[in-house]
Amino acid sequence: MGFSWSSYIAQEEILDLCKHAGLAQDSFLACDCPTPSSFDLVAAAATDDVMIFSTAGAGVTSQAAARLDDAFTSRGAVRNAKKDVNDALCATCVGVDLVDGFFLDIPAARYLALIVTFLFLHCRKKASPKHVQQLLGALQWFDLLVRPKLSVYSDIYSFTGLPNVNTLMQLPTAVLGELACSIVLGIFWRCDLRRPFLQMLGATDASVEYGFGASILKTSEQYVRQVARWAEKQGAFILMDGGCAPAEQLCRSGEAHRLEASLNDFSDVFSVRRKHPAHINVLEGEAFILFLRWLLRSRKHHSHRVVILVDSAVWLGAAAKGRSSSQLNRLLRRMAALTMAGDLQLHLILVPSQENPSDAPSSGRRRKRSAKETC
């Protein structure tokens, strides 16, 4: 049986056991379903591992784990008791440390090993593509804690893709530079789970005819948190209150989520003419970068989760992934610099172009009105 099939079967069996143990499907953390609305009891499955989290106090996760153990026993499934962690605020989940229940971080010993490995390669100046790939794989795993950091890598992919994977060869300066940059930026791997949502819903857009625009809706943290549940979910998109016709919705394969706000509730924050012609996807990225720069002008916007509406599926996909093999990677590196410097965590949601609040300012039609408070 192939590895992918065995992983699929293990994952499906684990999910069925969780269901049997009373862990509801809508309480799972996964990229293909909305984020749970409550974290009183949530779970995540990684092939044959189950992680249960709760913000409801001591004992909740232990009770859920006990029910899961009973489900294992009833099915005759053998579990590895050595991996059990019960009701702990500090633990290691899929190679990542949970610290005091508030932070996700790379284990210190693991970070030290990565530093030593890089220094060895730097001194030796030679390595096989396979050795570099092993180091790169470890770095990329922890980069998932701060995805924009993935934009650091570019030339290293050409080196690791060479055919003679076991042959020692001279390490290009660019490859060493990217590895060094990644190691240094590892200080940003620490992720604060308590980071609040900015009480603002943003939107950006660009047009080849005029330039860039951005709009905001000032609202409550609860409202923004609800919208963020749909961020970067497969095919999910936003419709404004009284927006697209049903026939137009059917043209999209993803799930539509209606926003209880209209275009007129948003306030335009900038409408800027572009200086140079460029592909629309590049312009969309430029508009996004301008909005981040506008946000970070105020220190009160720092250290927040920010929800932003965009109408470019290409830019959303690249930004959500953290890197791109196209010219967008240059913009993603700028995005990475801004988000890490401002301690921002971004949540992007797709919105149809005609529903995008920043469509007007990106075409040079700036609306002058104050942002409306929405409950």
Side-chain angles (χ1 to χ4, degrees):
M1 181 182 294
F3 175 76
S4 58
W5 271 107
S6 61
S7 297
Y8 169 78
I9 292 173
Q11 178 95 355
E12 288 298 302
E13 182 64 19
I14 280 289
L15 291 174
D16 194 53
L17 286 168
C18 290
K19 180 180 178 181
H20 185 67
L23 292 170
Q25 184 175 353
D26 60 2
S27 68
F28 270 81
L29 300 168
C31 62
D32 56 351
C33 60
T35 303
S37 56
S38 170
F39 279 73
D40 287 346
L41 182 64
V42 297
T47 310
D48 57 350
D49 290 328
V50 179
M51 295 148 283
I52 304 173
F53 306 96
S54 173
T55 58
V60 176
T61 56
S62 291
Q63 294 171 11
R67 295 195 300 270
L68 184 59
D69 289 345
D70 292 340
F72 267 70
T73 302
S74 66
R75 291 281 187 89
V78 180
R79 62 185 181 87
N80 185 357
K82 294 180 180 179
K83 298 177 71 174
D84 286 354
V85 178
N86 297 312
D87 223 26
L89 292 176
C90 297
T92 300
C93 307
V94 290
V96 176
D97 278 355
L98 175 66
V99 183
D100 298 329
F102 296 137
F103 303 95
L104 294 178
D105 204 352
I106 179 175
R110 188 64 167 153
Y111 197 1
L112 179 60
L114 292 175
I115 294 174
V116 171
T117 302
F118 166 73
L119 292 176
F120 174 78
L121 293 180
H122 187 270
C123 292
R124 195 179 185 189
K125 296 292 192 298
K126 286 187 177 182
S128 68
K130 183 177 180 179
H131 289 154
V132 175
Q133 178 60 58
Q134 290 172 340
L135 176 58
L136 176 63
L139 290 169
Q140 288 176 318
W141 177 249
F142 296 108
D143 286 344
L144 297 180
L145 293 171
V146 51
R147 275 187 173 270
K149 184 174 170 293
L150 288 166
S151 61
V152 165
Y153 314 115
S154 179
D155 292 280
I156 195 170
Y157 293 119
S158 299
F159 183 81
T160 56
L162 293 174
N164 301 321
V165 295
N166 294 311
T167 303
L168 282 177
M169 55 188 73
Q170 193 74 21
L171 279 171
T173 303
V175 172
L176 287 172
E178 289 175 6
L179 289 174
C181 183
S182 180
I183 290 290
V184 171
L185 292 177
I187 59 173
F188 293 101
W189 277 326
R190 189 175 181 87
C191 178
D192 190 347
L193 300 176
R194 301 168 299 175
R195 185 185 291 141
F197 280 92
L198 187 64
Q199 296 180 22
M200 175 192 300
L201 189 62
T204 68
D205 198 11
S207 69
V208 293
E209 293 82 10
Y210 182 79
F212 316 113
S215 307
I216 61 169
L217 171 67
K218 293 184 179 179
T219 183
S220 66
E221 182 175 350
Q222 181 180 4
Y223 182 86
V224 178
R225 180 184 293 273
Q226 174 65 24
V227 177
R229 295 179 59 225
W230 310 318
E232 296 144 28
K233 302 302 180 181
Q234 294 179 354
F237 63 98
I238 290 291
L239 293 178
M240 297 295 165
D241 186 25
C244 289
E248 196 164 358
Q249 296 179 30
L250 296 176
C251 296
R252 295 179 177 270
S253 58
E255 183 179 359
H257 301 278
R258 190 163 295 280
L259 200 64
E260 295 179 1
S262 68
L263 294 175
N264 292 330
D265 293 332
F266 284 77
S267 176
D268 301 332
V269 293
F270 65 75
S271 177
V272 181
R273 186 179 294 276
R274 62 176 175 82
K275 296 181 179 179
H276 307 286
H279 191 278
I280 184 59
N281 292 332
V282 174
L283 294 177
E284 293 281 1
E286 293 281 3
F288 193 86
I289 298 300
L290 280 176
F291 181 67
L292 291 182
R293 292 175 59 186
W294 176 85
L295 273 179
L296 294 176
R297 286 163 53 187
S298 173
R299 291 187 61 185
K300 66 181 181 181
H301 295 156
H302 293 200
S303 301
H304 280 84
R305 301 171 186 259
V306 185
V307 180
I308 306 173
L309 308 181
V310 296
D311 61 15
S312 170
V314 172
W315 174 254
L316 185 148
K321 184 179 179 181
R323 65 168 301 273
S324 172
S325 57
S326 71
Q327 56 184 324
L328 292 181
N329 205 58
R330 171 181 59 85
L331 295 172
L332 292 174
R333 287 180 172 180
R334 292 169 60 187
M335 182 187 79
L338 292 169
T339 54
M340 287 189 283
D343 191 27
L344 300 179
Q345 182 173 339
L346 305 180
H347 302 266
L348 278 64
I349 310 179
L350 190 65
V351 60
S353 295
Q354 61 272 34
E355 294 277 281
N356 192 340
S358 57
D359 181 68
S362 71
S363 301
R365 307 187 308 274
R366 183 168 180 173
R367 299 162 296 186
K368 296 182 179 179
R369 58 170 60 87
S370 59
K372 179 181 176 181
E373 295 290 330
T374 302
C375 298

